[in-house]
Amino acid sequence: MHIQEWLETIPAVSVYALVAGVIGLESLGIPLPGEIVLISAALLSAGHDGINPWLVGACASAGAIIGDSIGYAIGRKGGRPLLARLGGKFPKHFGESQIAMAERSFEKWGMWAVFFGRFVALLRIFAGPLAGVLHMPYWKFLIANVLGGIVWAGGTTAVIYSVGVVAEAWLKRFSYLGLVAAVLVGVASMLIVKNRAKKAAASAAPAPEPAAVAATD
């Protein structure tokens, strides 16, 4: 069976469920390739009439928000012993150095760590549980969680879907050269968005107190 014919047989509901499920579990604190799944689904929607990119983005946003909220509740109840257990099971993701880095991010940025953490793979896994462990006020967490989930999921879907549409049109005219160019544009766009997110997060960090500055002189 031709690859295009095989893609046409994929039920749309299974794609939506996969996107929401994988991103939800990743946001909950389980290391999974949520961004890869979202990008793949967005590209698939560009060439598959039965898959709606709006629904892909909506399912991704819902998975991100719900997963983060559950992770927050688990982290608030489990506390630091939970992080220790996760470190034993996933040392590459929940090791002492990774936890220390995430804690420093939360101390500097507060609720912005939850928002901008959506664009960083490690913080995307940590944000919900760690916000609960550190007892971040839930209303702050909820605002940053909802906004971050929508901007990340919706923005990623929109960019990748647009790249897929352009790639398909160019592919008909310029064969694989069009596809390569479109993919490069898409990757560059995602890198620019992530770089701006990191810069915005850094600028949101509070300045060091005078006493701390004097101590370092």
Side-chain angles (χ1 to χ4, degrees), residues 29-31 79-100 122 125-126 129-130 133:
I30 299 176
R80 292 191 176 275
L82 172 65
L83 295 180
R85 290 196 298 272
L86 289 174
K89 294 182 178 180
F90 306 104
K92 292 184 179 180
H93 297 87
F94 290 91
E96 293 183 3
S97 60
Q98 289 88 345
I99 292 177
L122 182 61
I125 298 172
F126 270 115
L130 191 57
V133 170

Side-chain angles (χ1 to χ4, degrees), residues 35-145:
E35 192 168 45
I36 294 177
V37 170
L38 176 57
I39 290 173
S40 300
L43 279 175
L44 183 59
S45 69
H48 195 309
D49 294 336
I51 298 177
N52 190 320
W54 289 95
L55 289 179
V56 170
C59 290
S61 300
I65 295 169
I66 295 172
D68 251 7
S69 297
I70 295 175
Y72 175 91
I74 293 174
R76 193 173 182 94
K77 184 176 181 180
R80 292 191 176 275
L82 172 65
L83 295 180
R85 290 196 298 272
L86 289 174
K89 294 182 178 180
F90 306 104
K92 292 184 179 180
H93 297 87
F94 290 91
E96 293 183 3
S97 60
Q98 289 88 345
I99 292 177
M101 184 277 289
E103 286 186 330
R104 286 195 299 269
S105 300
F106 271 73
E107 290 173 358
K108 288 182 178 180
W109 308 333
M111 64 185 291
W112 291 109
V114 178
F115 179 86
F116 290 112
R118 269 285 146 208
F119 299 88
V120 182
L122 182 61
L123 287 180
R124 190 159 57 243
I125 298 172
F126 270 115
L130 191 57
V133 170
L134 298 179
H135 290 269
M136 176 183 289
Y138 183 69
W139 68 268
K140 288 186 177 182
F141 170 79
L142 183 61
I143 292 174
N145 179 29

